[in-house]
Amino acid sequence: MKLSMPRFDQAPVLVVGDVMLDRYWHGGTSRISPEAPVPVVRVDQIEDRPGGAANVALNIAALGAPASLVGVTGEDEAAESLSASLSAAGVNTRFQRISHQPTIVKLRVMSRHQQLLRIDFEEPFATDGVQMSHDVESLLAGVKVLVLSDYGKGALQNHQALIQAAVQRGIPVLADPKGKDFTRYRGASLITPNLSEFEAIVGRCADEADLVAKGASLMAELELGALLVTRGEHGMTLLRPEHPALHLPARAREVFDVTGAGDTVISTLAAAIAAGEALPQAVALANLAAGIVVGKLGTAAISAPELRRAISREQGSERGVLTLDQLLLAIEDARAHHEKIVFTNGCFDILHAGHVTYLEQARMQGDRLIVAINDDASVACLKGPGRPINSVDRRMAVLAGLGAVDWVVSFSEDTPENLLRQVKPDVLVKGGDYGVDQVVGADIVREYGGTVQVLGLVENSSTTAIVEKIRNR
């Protein structure tokens, strides 16, 4: 399945559901309490993160999509912390504040990256359902997807009214369900239960065929557009009426903390669908995102650069031969990770020891090395009849196999000046015995603040000399 980075900036999403604050107390432990056989934690850091529906909205915003959030809080310090964090992330919030009830807080005591204790402060909210429906309907006109983030805490009491309001406007509804009554999600475009939540409704699934059959029955009963069952280390299964089941393997390299993984799945799904991605592609992107987030500690969001890098790795474009469009995306991702971009160019017709040494030296000037090579017509124009010896695809394949080279791209002009204007490398490198001012494109790179380096060549290493030696023989 081919994946690409969606235009999240054009994908507004509205999240409605149970808002909570995830609070972390961090500290060291060096002794056991004399009062009970428990460790004593000396708290030296307090960290607040948006949780529940707030984490879903935060994940959407972190991907670069416009996010709005409707939920319920108290009139307290925790609500202020939530509002400040979400506002800083660019999330548009509309909270129904209830003065006599506390904001839901989940407090985790952490030491050396391990959770020792969790304490929950919560009461089911007496939500004003009419007011919430009014708030949601006032925001629907400006969004492309509605997410119901249901943690069963009482914020969502009018599921059907919200679903119907969105459906009437042609807006897809995605629901992360809770509880043993899924009829409240009737008519949703997609629901995303985990396997235990799914089996609590349909009964234990003996195997994948059983899961698919029971999922099909549930979709028919609830008139669902699709069903996505998240299955932990077994990945995800997407079911759609009249379509074969799509099973995606788990992508996590190392599972550190599964807190909030479901939030990441539905937020990435929602943003991708809002950006116009087909459902299978959106699910594949959500699967990649989940694989990233479980490698982080606590409730966490993934950023657009992180997802872009995962897509590049998935498509095999983290290294190797790229088109110009792929290269520009790879550079954007590298710069988001504060990597220094090095650029060099040439014909590289017959790769020899001098080339290899030169490219290794060029790579040492930064974090990523781009090698731009002249296409066949350009080489013929520069070198004369009979050149190149090797076609452009073969030259690119050989260069891409070198450990020093990250990306290889071709250009058709005699010089790489137009390419330099688009790539804007931090360092332009050229080999030879001429001055920096004689390097083609040096003025372009210096104009935007880049640097130019001239590296020496290995003696007695020349493609032209090799060609002549072969001809003479």
Side-chain angles (χ1 to χ4, degrees):
M1 183 185 301
K2 184 173 178 57
L3 299 179
S4 60
M5 191 68 175
R7 287 296 305 271
F8 287 127
D9 60 326
Q10 299 177 5
V13 178
L14 172 59
V15 180
V16 185
D18 295 298
V19 171
M20 57 192 76
L21 180 69
D22 286 333
R23 177 160 286 166
Y24 296 84
W25 286 359
H26 299 271
T29 56
S30 58
R31 63 193 179 96
I32 300 297
S33 171
E35 303 164 359
V38 295
V40 175
V41 180
R42 184 180 177 86
V43 176
D44 55 26
Q45 180 186 356
I46 297 176
E47 181 184 13
D48 286 352
R49 301 182 189 179
N55 185 42
V56 175
L58 185 65
N59 269 267
I60 292 167
L63 290 171
S68 299
L69 173 64
V70 174
V72 185
T73 69
E75 283 278 7
D76 50 23
E77 170 270 337
E80 294 302 324
S81 179
L82 270 173
S83 295
S85 297
L86 292 165
S87 177
V91 178
N92 172 34
T93 59
R94 189 170 297 184
F95 290 158
Q96 186 179 133
R97 298 201 174 196
I98 302 176
S99 59
H100 61 278
Q101 290 185 274
T103 300
I104 297 172
V105 176
K106 296 185 180 297
L107 171 62
R108 297 170 175 90
V109 181
M110 313 289 296
S111 183
R112 299 176 184 176
H113 303 298
Q114 296 293 323
Q115 184 179 147
L116 303 182
L117 178 67
R118 193 180 100 175
I119 307 169
D120 291 358
F121 302 88
E122 64 177 74
E123 297 176 15
F125 279 112
T127 306
D128 183 339
V130 174
Q131 181 61 48
M132 176 166 281
S133 294
H134 175 76
D135 290 340
V136 170
E137 291 184 19
S138 69
L139 294 169
L140 281 176
V143 302
K144 294 183 178 179
V145 170
L146 171 65
V147 174
L148 302 183
S149 181
D150 193 353
Y151 276 79
K153 306 301 182 184
L156 285 169
Q157 297 183 352
N158 51 352
H159 301 69
Q160 278 301 299
L162 301 179
I163 291 171
Q164 293 307 314
V167 169
Q168 289 171 8
R169 293 168 172 80
I171 297 172
V173 181
L174 278 57
D176 188 1
K178 282 292 180 293
K180 295 185 178 181
D181 179 14
F182 277 15
T183 60
R184 67 188 69 176
Y185 309 109
R186 183 183 302 278
S189 308
L190 173 73
I191 63 172
T192 61
N194 61 37
L195 183 59
S196 62
E197 291 167 340
F198 176 71
E199 290 185 329
I201 300 298
V202 302
R204 185 181 178 278
C205 298
D207 51 31
E208 288 194 351
D210 194 21
L211 184 150
V212 170
K214 289 178 176 177
S217 296
L218 184 65
M219 285 190 294
E221 178 188 347
L222 301 182
E223 302 171 10
L224 301 174
L227 170 67
L228 178 66
V229 182
T230 57
R231 304 168 61 192
E233 69 273 17
H234 298 296
M236 302 178 178
T237 297
L238 174 65
L239 303 176
R240 294 171 292 165
E242 310 301 327
H243 288 82
L246 175 63
H247 302 287
L248 294 176
R251 292 297 186 189
R253 295 182 175 182
E254 181 179 1
V255 177
F256 194 77
D257 191 339
V258 298
T259 305
D263 296 339
T264 298
V265 168
I266 198 165
S267 61
T268 307
L269 265 174
I273 292 170
E277 293 292 316
L279 186 54
Q281 280 73 21
V283 169
L285 289 170
N287 195 34
L288 285 179
I292 297 169
V293 81
V294 296
K296 300 185 177 187
L297 176 64
T299 308
I302 73 161
S303 65
E306 286 177 302
L307 182 59
R308 184 181 293 112
R309 176 159 290 194
I311 293 170
S312 296
R313 188 182 301 118
E314 186 77 3
Q315 301 303 117
S317 60
E318 190 177 32
R319 287 173 54 92
V321 176
L322 304 183
T323 65
L324 177 57
D325 287 342
Q326 290 172 330
L327 176 63
L328 294 177
L329 286 174
I331 291 170
E332 183 181 346
D333 172 68
R335 289 211 163 102
H337 287 81
H338 309 292
E339 293 177 339
K340 190 176 184 180
I341 308 298
V342 183
F343 180 103
T344 192
N345 64 280
C347 298
F348 297 98
D349 193 1
I350 297 179
L351 200 67
H352 52 68
H355 288 140
V356 174
T357 300
Y358 164 70
L359 292 172
E360 288 175 345
Q361 293 174 349
R363 180 63 168 77
M364 294 172 64
Q365 309 304 310
D367 302 300
R368 294 282 190 167
L369 175 61
I370 301 168
V371 180
I373 70 171
N374 300 74
D375 68 6
D376 294 345
S378 177
V379 174
C381 182
L382 292 170
K383 301 293 185 178
R387 300 288 298 276
I389 303 298
N390 291 300
S391 62
V392 64
D393 57 332
R394 293 186 176 186
R395 288 182 283 132
M396 294 175 79
V398 172
L399 284 166
L402 296 179
V405 177
D406 290 286
W407 302 308
V408 185
V409 67
S410 67
F411 62 97
S412 58
E413 298 88 353
D414 292 341
T415 73
E417 290 180 329
N418 287 333
L419 190 57
L420 284 168
R421 290 188 178 94
Q422 296 181 74
V423 170
K424 291 184 171 62
D426 301 295
V427 184
L428 170 61
V429 174
K430 196 67 178 173
D433 55 1
Y434 38 77
V436 170
D437 292 335
Q438 296 174 292
V439 175
V440 174
D443 54 336
I444 297 171
V445 175
R446 284 173 160 177
E447 185 177 346
Y448 61 74
T451 60
V452 182
Q453 298 280 348
V454 175
L455 305 179
L457 295 178
V458 176
E459 294 184 4
N460 302 319
S461 294
S462 163
T463 299
T464 301
I466 293 171
V467 171
E468 288 302 316
K469 187 175 182 178
I470 294 171
R471 284 175 175 168
N472 290 337
R473 285 185 176 178

